[in-house]
Amino acid sequence: MITYQLVIEGSYFSSASFDKADFTPESLICVDQSGIIDRVISVSENDYQTVKQAAIDNDILKKVPSGSYLLPGFTDLHIHAPQWPQAGLALDKPLNEWLNTYTFPLEAKFKDLNYAKKFYQSLIKELLANGTTTGLFFGSVDTNANLVLAKICAKLGQRAFIGKVAMDNHDQTPDYYRDETSQAALSETESFITQLQKLQQETGADLTPVITPRFVPSCTDETLQGLGDLAQKYNLPIQSHCSESIWEDQYAIDRFNLRDAEVLAKFGLLTDKAVMAHGTQLSDSDLELFEQKQTAIAHCPISNAYFGNSVMRVQAAQQHHVKVGLGTDISGGFSPSIYRNMQQAIMSSQMLQDSGQANTRLSASNAFYLATVGGAKALHIKSGQIKAGFKADLQIVQDQYFELSSNQASEIFERLVYHTNKENIKQVYVAGKLVHNNQGENNGK
């Protein structure tokens, strides 16, 4: 008999498809020593009581309380880690002013590693407390600060994909915060890759380096090409922004006589391991290119309401078989909660529908899929679902209106999507390890 590290008894919700979230009543979720769900045993199966008793005897049974439910952990596909101190600040300003007056000066402060440690510690704790088990992070220009972020993720148990930001175009970046040359941008990126890989081997933490051109305007041609070459050399994920705004789209056309997506493809930066943020201005031909390259989109609905000049067409991306997940875009988005972004994704899609674009509306099931399965597929990790063979990335969530409202599964699910806040997230597990506990000193047992 397999020795488990954890057995959770409870009812759960998990996406069956883009349009459907399944509810499964009382089950045992059995997590093996490597953090993978080995079995999900329904109460009707013959060995349910035997496995449960063995878990009790070994003090590894966790019972989900009545009125609470097990959900997969969330993947956040777009986080600017050094922007956490300004979340919610100056969102009424134009993008250019927001970047140059607030954002770039803030990111430059992270050269101070004590400053970096303080805020990265706060950010990672906050993300875990909000049910985010995997994060895709833009770091800063500074390699050492990015390694501080990685060490904190390792210590606190966050699965992290982290990129050293490359930005060397002197026309579009401030003199106090940039890579001075293309050679510096590329050598520092490669240095970060090798150091993070070494840290991953030393700690055993789930850390992955990511090739990260800030976006097309901030990089020279030489840097864009060099980053594409590094992604191929090391077989790494890539992250950037694509068609986030009318200005960004037009910039690519003016400089290259190509659309933003075409520029990224030209330099080898649209791959099946690439995640491009926002995409509010993506055309049908862009989506066809994304489909061809198997590139994913990080949909950031809160941020897009401020800076995107439009609503990202999730349903159109789905029809093109383009992978889509959710991102908070700290701090273009003010909230570290994927729940809050699920809600905004649904609301924004209704506005798109009301503007006359047919078949654009999203449901709670659609948004939940993006938060779980969509994000995991974008990063090629077997997570986001509660089923055998998947990583035990889990959250135990309290339905705060359990005693007042309907107990029909479909209505419980919608309440969880629309009403869950940080206080309702009682425990969070990454690969079967408890990384956040909001249940008091008894550790939830």
Side-chain angles (χ1 to χ4, degrees):
M1 183 176 173
I2 292 174
T3 305
Y4 297 125
Q5 65 161 301
L6 175 70
V7 176
I8 302 179
E9 182 180 44
S11 304
Y12 65 90
F13 291 94
S14 185
S15 279
S17 68
F18 179 62
D19 293 307
K20 187 172 184 288
D22 274 349
F23 173 72
T24 304
E26 208 72 4
S27 302
L28 295 176
I29 292 86
C30 304
V31 181
D32 70 18
Q33 297 295 335
S34 64
I36 304 296
I37 299 171
D38 176 66
R39 288 183 67 193
V40 178
I41 307 174
S42 72
V43 74
S44 60
E45 291 185 56
N46 291 336
D47 59 346
Y48 184 95
Q49 290 301 333
T50 307
V51 173
K52 178 179 175 179
Q53 188 58 53
I56 293 170
D57 293 344
N58 289 290
D59 196 28
I60 57 166
L61 183 73
K62 162 68 195 169
K63 288 196 68 161
V64 177
S66 176
S68 292
Y69 301 90
L70 198 64
L71 282 83
F74 293 152
T75 295
D76 188 337
L77 287 181
H78 193 51
I79 308 159
H80 287 273
Q83 293 178 20
W84 175 232
Q86 70 171 24
L89 180 66
L91 293 175
D92 57 340
K93 306 295 183 187
L95 178 60
N96 189 55
E97 183 180 345
W98 182 81
L99 283 171
N100 288 299
T101 305
Y102 299 91
T103 305
F104 291 151
L106 173 62
E107 290 193 16
K109 290 183 181 180
F110 279 75
K111 259 196 180 317
D112 178 341
L113 301 187
N114 288 324
Y115 184 88
K117 184 175 181 180
K118 174 183 175 182
F119 284 104
Y120 286 157
Q121 188 104 358
S122 166
L123 171 63
I124 302 308
K125 284 183 177 179
E126 189 72 19
L127 291 170
L128 292 170
N130 276 284
T132 296
T133 49
T134 300
L136 175 56
F137 296 92
F138 274 61
S140 66
V141 169
D142 189 71
T143 295
N144 289 329
N146 298 327
L147 292 169
V148 168
L149 172 62
K151 288 171 184 173
I152 288 169
C153 289
K155 182 181 177 184
L156 296 180
Q158 172 88 68
R159 181 179 300 106
F161 291 72
I162 302 171
K164 173 246 178 300
V165 169
M167 43 191 287
D168 72 318
N169 181 0
H170 288 209
D171 293 338
Q172 293 291 331
T173 55
D175 56 5
Y176 61 85
Y177 185 62
R178 66 181 174 218
D179 297 295
E180 275 308 310
T181 64
S182 177
Q183 184 181 4
L186 298 173
S187 64
E188 278 300 305
T189 295
E190 191 156 21
S191 172
F192 173 70
I193 290 167
T194 55
Q195 288 186 74
L196 186 64
Q197 289 176 334
K198 183 181 177 190
L199 180 66
Q200 192 276 327
Q201 289 166 359
E202 288 171 354
T203 62
D206 206 339
L207 304 170
T208 303
V210 184
I211 301 297
T212 308
R214 189 175 199 110
F215 64 162
V216 166
S218 66
C219 296
T220 61
D221 293 20
E222 185 183 351
T223 295
L224 291 170
Q225 185 61 60
L227 292 172
D229 293 343
L230 283 174
Q232 186 173 26
K233 176 181 176 180
Y234 289 95
N235 189 27
L236 288 177
I238 302 163
Q239 62 180 342
S240 192
H241 303 77
C242 183
S243 293
E244 177 179 5
S245 63
I246 293 169
W247 174 82
E248 185 185 332
D249 242 20
Q250 191 59 47
Y251 178 92
I253 291 167
D254 292 344
R255 179 171 153 191
F256 293 97
N257 199 29
L258 294 169
R259 289 187 56 74
D260 207 14
E262 294 171 326
V263 175
L264 292 161
K266 167 188 162 101
F267 291 111
L269 295 165
L270 282 195
T271 70
D272 70 331
K273 286 190 166 187
V275 179
M276 295 293 146
H278 304 294
T280 60
Q281 309 297 317
L282 291 174
S283 65
D284 286 343
S285 65
D286 293 333
L287 289 175
E288 287 166 11
L289 181 56
F290 268 63
E291 180 181 11
Q292 177 193 331
K293 299 291 187 180
Q294 299 178 53
T295 298
I297 299 170
H299 177 32
C300 308
I302 293 178
S303 174
N304 290 347
Y306 292 104
F307 298 123
N309 306 132
S310 188
V311 177
M312 192 250 148
R313 299 182 299 145
V314 175
Q315 292 284 10
Q318 283 295 125
Q319 286 158 18
H320 280 89
H321 310 290
V322 175
K323 295 170 288 190
V324 182
L326 288 178
T328 57
D329 192 23
I330 294 293
S331 68
F334 59 82
S335 174
S337 167
I338 289 289
Y339 284 98
R340 184 70 189 82
N341 279 275
M342 282 197 288
Q343 296 152 17
Q344 186 64 50
I346 298 164
M347 289 187 283
S348 293
S349 76
Q350 180 60 54
M351 295 166 74
L352 198 60
Q353 179 99 3
D354 290 345
S355 73
Q357 297 194 42
N359 304 317
T360 52
R361 190 173 182 177
L362 297 177
S363 67
S365 294
N366 297 152
F368 183 67
Y369 178 92
L370 300 180
T372 55
V373 178
K377 283 189 171 181
L379 293 175
H380 298 269
I381 53 176
K382 209 164 181 188
S383 178
Q385 291 175 275
I386 300 176
K387 59 195 294 189
F390 281 67
K391 294 178 186 293
D393 298 341
L394 306 164
Q395 50 181 317
I396 294 173
V397 182
Q398 178 190 49
D399 174 11
Q400 58 182 306
Y401 300 115
F402 174 72
E403 294 181 350
L404 298 175
S405 302
S406 161
N407 60 5
Q408 289 183 22
S410 61
E411 296 187 14
I412 293 169
F413 172 72
E414 293 202 348
R415 284 203 303 276
L416 293 176
V417 169
Y418 279 106
H419 291 296
T420 297
N421 55 47
K422 187 171 70 170
E423 289 68 39
N424 306 126
I425 301 170
K426 296 305 179 183
Q427 289 190 325
V428 179
Y429 296 82
V430 176
K433 290 188 167 57
L434 184 67
V435 294
H436 172 71
N437 187 26
N438 187 25
Q439 284 194 332
E441 294 179 4
N442 66 357
N443 211 32
K445 286 228 177 132

